[in-house]
Amino acid sequence: MGKHIEDEDIENICQILDAWDIDNKLTWDRLVRAVSFNLGFVTTRQTLQSQARIKMSYRQTKSIICGNAPRQSNVPPSLKIATERLEKQARTIQRLEEENRQLLAQFQVWLYNAWLSGISPEMLNQPLPDRSR
């Protein structure tokens, strides 16, 4: 049985996908093995697919891999490492921008529903109660 994954796990799994070598095939089973190897817990394809952020990141990485043209093999290793690092950063930025867009859209829905329910912006902006007591 797969582990229930938390927000930190989701972020770590998305980072695995951001760093995925685009020369290697990406499948859900390979991602499950990568999670087990890199994060030290066993999960399932179904558990990973049930998380919207992971699913979106998987689709983005998969589309990059499928659209990837063959690389030149005579590129110096240092340049290849730098290129891979830049590609990883670009994928991370793209994923985070999409997550941010989705969160802003969700916030608009919540704001509208709160307004319909008669909840004022002042009520929404009240600080959280102090839980240290």
Side-chain angles (χ1 to χ4, degrees), residues 47-101:
T47 300
L48 296 178
Q49 283 181 310
S50 70
Q51 299 296 323
R53 287 176 59 201
I54 294 172
K55 197 171 189 177
M56 180 190 65
S57 184
Y58 178 90
R59 274 194 241 126
Q60 286 177 340
T61 303
K62 186 82 168 177
S63 70
I64 290 168
I65 291 171
C66 291
N68 186 33
R71 296 199 178 177
Q72 296 177 352
S73 59
N74 58 355
V75 175
S78 60
L79 188 56
K80 183 175 184 304
I81 291 169
T83 302
E84 288 172 355
R85 186 175 294 154
L86 288 173
E87 288 171 351
K88 176 188 175 200
Q89 289 174 344
R91 289 194 309 260
T92 301
I93 290 168
Q94 182 182 14
R95 176 180 56 84
L96 292 173
E97 285 175 343
E98 178 61 22
E99 284 180 18
N100 189 46
R101 187 193 64 72

